[in-house]
Amino acid sequence: MIRIIARKEFVEIVRDGRFMWTAVLMVLLLLTAMLAGWQRHGSYMATQAAAQGATNTQWLKQGDKNPHTAAHYGNYAFKPLGPLAFFDNGVTNYTGTTVFMEAHKQNFAIASPAADTSAISRFGELNGAMILQVLMPLLIIFLGFTAFAGERESGTIRQVISMGVSRTSLLWGKALGLAAAVLIVVVPCVMMGAAFIAMTDLPIVGEGVETRIALMTVAYLAYAGIFLFLTLAVSAWSRSPRTALMVLVGFWAFTAFIMPKTAAEISKAVYPSPSYGSFMADMKAHQARGFDGTPSAAELGKFQGQMMRQYRVSDVKDLPFYWTAVRMQRLEELDQRVFNQHFGAVTAAYAAQRQLQDRIGVLAPTLPLRSISMGLAGTDLIQQQKFQNDAESFREAMVKKMNGYLSKAAVSLNGVNSASNYLIANEDVFSIVPPFRYQPPALDTTLSEHWMNFAMLAFWLAAAILLALFGVKRMALERG
């Protein structure tokens, strides 16, 4: 009986004129978004690979100079994107993609794509994730809001029930019919997206791509199921199709547009982050007074005394290493403690904002789906912070290697700590710093960060099914 009802519902939906124009529009938008995203992703990755290769070459070919001066010359880290970024670009457009790494300074990522676009484009960019998160629910609503309310209005629902068809069978049959109609619109577009990934010859960044696609598919199917059963529930409860449509469109606007912005504003109010100007001013003031209140000059004086006592000398000129290089490295380490505290506070604020937004997902299913989608696509704030942390670790290692080489190599010169001692390094020395390589977080790490969002989607789906079952059982058979 359920199969018969599903076939009947599917045929009626497909024959309805609403299905034709909504399906065509949905397919065109989704395919356009997929193709445009694939082209943008390919162009970005090609540019990123070329830029990273060029800066690595520039580091090696910078010319003969003092190793510490080379550390000031610096290097760049360019963020690569995973293959699913073409489907969901997440926060990529609004976060930096490039970090300049130099001695004595920790820098934020710069060069966000949104900075080079027009103001109107910042309201949103067409991509596959946006289409499925915003327009797919609307498609479900338009195709299903008359499922029960329309038949009640025409009087056919009473006839069907009188023939011995159970209300539960009627619900599941209509759900399967509506789901089949939606899937014949969405599945070909998703297959096209998979083909785009298979056709690309760009390097795959990140592991578990197939698993990520499978999990993303499950999340979007759950999201579609939530709106499908909510549509049927509201249609069963409503006295007229018009009422059902108004309620459903209102909920759609609430969850797709109002709650994401509201959740972001709430999270920023609860966990505020400093402006760039105040952040830099506070950090520089902290550097000046020292990490624990002792200025850097005093800390360096204490360190110099420890080295002289350790090597039993009365003058830095007699130390068995190049004191200037060791002193610069010690200053780097003192500053690093200040950097870690201030940058860490900003990172903690953003993490707290993200977690609060995820918890607010109990009020709107779009929020947990959006977080899952960005996380699996590798375009969320977690991935961005991993990139910045990797760049900072690379910077620390680069400076330490240059200073370490300078402190040891200068021993072979006459007058290790003389004023005229200035070691010149070449490409062979610079090559001890390997090229920057970004390694995205493991899939297990991503899943551990988003388990609550998966639970939220499961909660919403279960609640929608229960509401639909309860609504069908309490459904009035006659028009009110």
Side-chain angles (χ1 to χ4, degrees):
M1 182 60 67
I2 293 177
R3 186 172 60 181
I4 295 174
I5 296 171
R7 183 184 301 114
K8 175 256 184 187
E9 191 72 18
F10 174 77
V11 171
E12 287 187 350
I13 290 175
V14 172
R15 289 177 178 176
D16 193 331
R18 291 175 302 172
F19 176 80
M20 182 61 67
W21 66 264
T22 53
V24 170
L25 181 62
M26 182 79 172
V27 169
L28 288 177
L29 285 174
L30 196 50
L31 287 180
T32 300
M34 292 280 195
L35 180 59
W38 179 59
Q39 290 177 334
R40 283 194 302 267
H41 178 265
S43 175
Y44 174 88
M45 287 297 291
T47 302
Q48 182 273 337
Q52 192 66 68
T55 193
N56 293 337
T57 301
Q58 288 174 355
W59 167 260
L60 294 175
K61 304 293 185 180
Q62 61 183 290
D64 296 350
K65 57 172 63 76
N66 183 275
H68 187 76
T69 303
H72 278 285
Y73 180 84
N75 207 336
Y76 284 91
F78 295 91
K79 181 185 178 183
L81 296 176
L84 295 180
F86 86 95
F87 170 76
D88 189 347
N89 53 15
V91 300
T92 302
N93 282 357
Y94 307 97
T95 55
T97 58
T98 307
V99 175
F100 180 53
M101 303 169 293
E102 58 181 324
H104 303 305
K105 288 182 67 177
Q106 181 174 347
N107 297 312
F108 284 107
I110 58 174
S112 62
D116 297 326
T117 59
S118 61
I120 190 67
S121 66
R122 300 184 192 184
F123 286 98
E125 185 175 274
L126 189 67
N127 57 59
M130 189 274 283
I131 298 295
L132 294 183
Q133 291 171 19
V134 177
L135 297 187
M136 182 176 65
L138 199 57
L139 172 67
I140 294 172
I141 290 171
F142 282 158
L143 297 181
F145 76 96
T146 60
F148 291 109
E151 291 196 9
R152 183 191 299 110
E153 191 172 52
S154 64
T156 57
I157 191 72
R158 184 180 181 87
Q159 298 176 12
V160 173
I161 297 296
S162 66
M163 294 172 61
V165 178
S166 70
R167 300 188 180 211
T168 302
S169 296
L170 191 60
L171 171 65
W172 288 110
K174 286 183 175 292
L176 288 175
L178 179 56
V182 174
L183 288 177
I184 65 172
V185 176
V186 176
V187 168
C189 301
V190 174
M191 293 177 65
M192 183 68 73
F196 288 155
I197 295 177
M199 289 189 309
T200 183
D201 57 354
L202 295 171
I204 299 298
V205 179
E207 42 81 36
V209 176
E210 295 82 3
T211 305
R212 290 174 184 270
I213 294 175
L215 290 172
M216 192 177 289
T217 301
V218 169
Y220 276 96
L221 286 176
Y223 182 68
I226 291 167
F227 275 91
L228 188 150
F229 283 102
L230 284 178
T231 297
L232 295 177
V234 173
S235 183
W237 280 95
S238 300
R239 291 291 182 176
S240 68
R242 179 179 297 179
T243 302
L245 182 60
M246 291 177 59
V247 172
L248 289 167
V249 171
F251 176 76
W252 167 77
F254 171 80
T255 188
F257 296 106
I258 296 175
M259 280 309 299
K261 181 63 175 177
T262 301
E265 293 299 327
I266 291 174
S267 65
K268 287 191 289 186
V270 175
Y271 300 105
S273 55
S275 66
Y276 179 78
S278 62
F279 171 85
M280 293 302 297
D282 291 344
M283 187 171 66
K284 289 182 178 180
H286 196 175
Q287 282 182 273
R289 67 175 181 269
F291 179 76
D292 55 2
T294 304
S296 297
E299 289 281 3
L300 290 173
K302 289 166 54 178
F303 180 66
Q304 177 179 322
Q306 292 173 1
M307 292 295 98
M308 293 173 66
R309 287 192 295 273
Q310 179 179 341
Y311 291 97
R312 299 179 180 180
V313 297
S314 59
D315 196 307
V316 293
K317 294 181 180 180
D318 299 322
L319 289 171
F321 49 78
Y322 188 31
W323 164 246
T324 300
V326 174
R327 179 181 180 277
M328 288 187 293
Q329 180 58 34
R330 180 57 178 170
L331 180 60
E332 183 78 32
E333 294 168 357
L334 293 175
D335 287 339
Q336 191 61 48
R337 294 191 296 174
V338 177
F339 297 156
N340 290 342
Q341 178 174 315
H342 287 262
F343 279 85
V346 174
T347 300
Y350 287 148
Q353 291 176 10
R354 176 184 57 79
Q355 291 167 1
L356 178 56
Q357 291 180 40
D358 288 345
R359 289 194 291 270
I360 296 176
V362 72
L363 302 176
T366 303
L367 294 178
L369 175 69
R370 186 181 62 172
S371 293
I372 291 171
S373 182
M374 290 191 297
L376 293 175
T379 56
D380 60 350
L381 283 175
I382 297 174
Q383 306 270 345
Q384 178 67 20
Q385 190 55 52
K386 176 66 164 53
F387 166 66
Q388 294 196 170
N389 289 344
D390 284 2
E392 176 56 19
S393 297
F394 182 93
R395 186 195 73 84
E396 293 178 34
M398 175 186 73
V399 176
K400 187 174 184 179
K401 286 181 178 181
M402 290 294 97
N403 286 335
Y405 178 85
L406 180 61
S407 66
K408 296 176 182 178
V411 173
S412 61
L413 299 178
N414 293 326
V416 171
N417 290 291
S418 67
S420 60
N421 187 0
Y422 190 82
L423 181 68
I424 300 298
N426 54 26
E427 184 176 339
D428 291 337
V429 175
F430 303 144
S431 64
I432 67 176
V433 177
F436 174 79
R437 293 286 185 270
Y438 170 65
Q439 184 61 42
L443 179 58
D444 291 345
T445 302
T446 300
L447 295 179
S448 67
E449 290 286 348
H450 291 287
W451 70 267
M452 181 180 292
N453 292 312
F454 280 101
M456 287 281 189
L457 277 185
F459 163 78
W460 267 101
L461 181 58
I465 293 173
L466 291 175
L467 185 61
L469 288 170
F470 186 67
V472 168
K473 290 183 178 179
R474 296 290 301 272
M475 177 178 59
L477 299 182
E478 296 181 357
R479 180 179 180 183

